[in-house]
């Protein structure tokens, strides 16, 4: 209720104040993990050094994903043919992890990291994100998640309680009930409003300019001020947001058709 009823812009200002005023300076940076620094300057963390072995890692994960999809398909056909329920999630996750591990080994097991190091006045090396980026990330995530949580709650409660009783009468456990009975019916109520929230998320990202993060709107405004070409700059912003929104809508509409209950 708190996150949904406080305007997003106000929340962004609150998070920006927390990250830039309440955190310690860089010379007294917090260290929640080894080689991780968190201060008014943002977040600095280790990143892997690029090596060709990472290509093999990606190929291993891709192969594992394909194998896990085949396992899920086999398990579904086995259930439909014999009624025997085979585990899907844990074996599929294990197959992906094993595939990535084997690819990592085949690529020479690259493990070198670029570690940030603290100097007298700053932190150098590694990866880093600015306080402005963290503000936008935290603010948009919590604000949108609060709406999505309410949508999911409403979708689950929209399924009649008799469906739970029917699942219990069939001897299904709670996991099977949620996966096979509850979610397939709830998704047809959940997906359409969630699509709207994803579209709102894309458009709400334009508020990043309020906390000084150089996003699309900020760069377009700078370009407009330097060139005076208002129509071109605004048209590019509109085109970018329209493209992202249409792409998001197309993907979610495809998923909505996949999740729709097909009646005979």
């Amino acid at each position: 209720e708190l996150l949904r009823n406080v305007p997003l812009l106000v929340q962004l200002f609150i998070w920006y104040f927390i990250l830039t005023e309440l955190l310690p300076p860089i010379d007294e940076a917090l260290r929640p993990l080894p080689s991780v620094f968190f201060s008014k300057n943002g977040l600095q963390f280790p990143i892997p050094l690029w090596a060709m072995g990472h290509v093999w890692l990606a190929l291993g994960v891709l192969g594992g994903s394909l194998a896990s999809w085949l396992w899920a398909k086999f398990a579904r056909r086995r259930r439909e043919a014999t009624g025997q329920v085979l585990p899907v999630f844990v074996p599929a996750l294990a197959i992906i992890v094993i595939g990535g591990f084997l690819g990592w080994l085949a690529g020479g097991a690259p493990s070198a990291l670029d570690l940030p190091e603290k100097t007298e006045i700053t932190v150098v090396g590694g990866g880093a994100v600015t306080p402005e980026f963290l503000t936008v990330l935290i603010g948009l995530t919590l604000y949108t998640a609060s709406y999505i949580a309410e949508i999911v709650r409403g979708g689950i409660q929209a399924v009649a309680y008799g469906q739970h009783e029917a699942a219990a009468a069939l001897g299904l456990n709670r996991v099977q009930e949620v996966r096979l009975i509850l979610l397939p019916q709830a998704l047809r109520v959940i997906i359409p409003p969630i699509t709207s929230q994803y579209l709102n998320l894309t458009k709400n990202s334009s508020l990043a300019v309020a906390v000084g993060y150089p996003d699309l709107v900020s760069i377009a405004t700078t370009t407009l001020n330097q060139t005076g070409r208002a129509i071109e700059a605004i048209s590019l912003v509109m085109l970018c947001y329209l493209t992202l929104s249409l792409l998001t809508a197309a993907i979610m509409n495809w998923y909505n058709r996949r999740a729709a209950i097909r009646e005979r």
Side-chain angles (χ1 to χ4, degrees):
E1 291 292 334
L2 177 64
L3 293 173
R4 288 193 298 117
N5 290 288
V6 175
L8 176 58
L9 184 60
V10 175
Q11 294 188 42
L12 290 178
F13 285 145
I14 292 174
W15 285 112
Y16 187 68
F17 171 78
I18 292 175
L19 293 174
T20 58
E21 298 295 332
L22 300 184
L23 287 178
I26 188 64
D27 55 344
E28 301 175 3
L30 301 176
R31 302 190 62 177
L33 295 171
S35 300
V36 175
F37 300 88
F38 192 32
S39 65
K40 292 182 178 180
N41 285 35
L43 180 66
Q44 289 80 27
F45 49 89
I47 57 174
L49 289 175
W50 170 254
M52 285 302 297
H54 293 130
V55 176
W56 287 94
L57 172 62
L59 292 176
V61 172
L62 182 61
S65 300
L66 178 60
S68 65
W69 176 76
L70 292 175
W71 168 257
K73 188 175 181 180
F74 169 77
R76 183 175 66 253
R77 290 183 175 179
R78 185 68 175 271
R79 185 185 72 245
E80 294 173 351
T82 66
Q84 180 183 5
V85 179
L86 298 176
V88 175
F89 177 76
V90 174
L93 181 61
I95 291 172
I96 295 175
V97 172
I98 292 173
F101 180 72
L102 293 177
W104 180 69
L105 291 178
S111 57
L113 295 175
D114 182 10
L115 300 176
E117 297 180 359
K118 188 174 179 299
T119 64
E120 294 182 357
I121 59 176
T122 187
V123 175
V124 296
V129 291
T130 63
E132 293 78 14
F133 177 81
L134 288 175
T135 297
V136 177
L137 176 64
I138 296 173
L140 287 178
T141 298
L142 294 179
Y143 183 78
T144 306
S146 64
Y147 277 92
I148 291 179
E150 184 70 9
I151 292 171
V152 172
R153 182 196 65 82
I156 292 176
Q157 291 188 344
V159 180
Y161 187 74
Q163 298 295 311
H164 167 71
E165 296 173 335
L170 291 174
L172 299 180
N173 58 39
R174 182 60 177 170
V175 175
Q176 293 171 336
E177 175 193 345
V178 171
R179 185 170 63 89
L180 301 176
I181 295 179
L182 183 60
L183 284 183
Q185 297 182 73
L187 281 176
R188 60 180 178 176
V189 180
I190 292 173
I191 294 176
I194 274 189
T195 301
S196 299
Q197 289 305 316
Y198 288 155
L199 296 174
N200 288 336
L201 173 62
T202 302
K203 292 178 286 187
N204 286 339
S205 65
S206 61
L207 293 176
V209 66
V211 294
Y213 183 73
D215 71 326
L216 176 64
V217 176
S218 175
I219 295 175
T221 303
T222 302
T223 304
L224 189 155
N225 292 332
Q226 293 180 352
T227 64
R229 295 182 177 272
I231 296 179
E232 290 87 343
I234 295 175
S235 298
L236 286 174
V237 172
M238 292 175 57
L239 179 62
C240 289
Y241 279 106
L242 180 62
T243 301
L244 291 174
S245 296
L246 291 177
L247 182 61
T248 302
I251 294 174
M252 292 303 297
N253 287 336
W254 170 81
Y255 181 60
N256 188 33
R257 290 192 297 269
R258 292 268 300 180
I261 296 178
R262 296 173 176 83
E263 299 180 355
R264 296 182 179 178

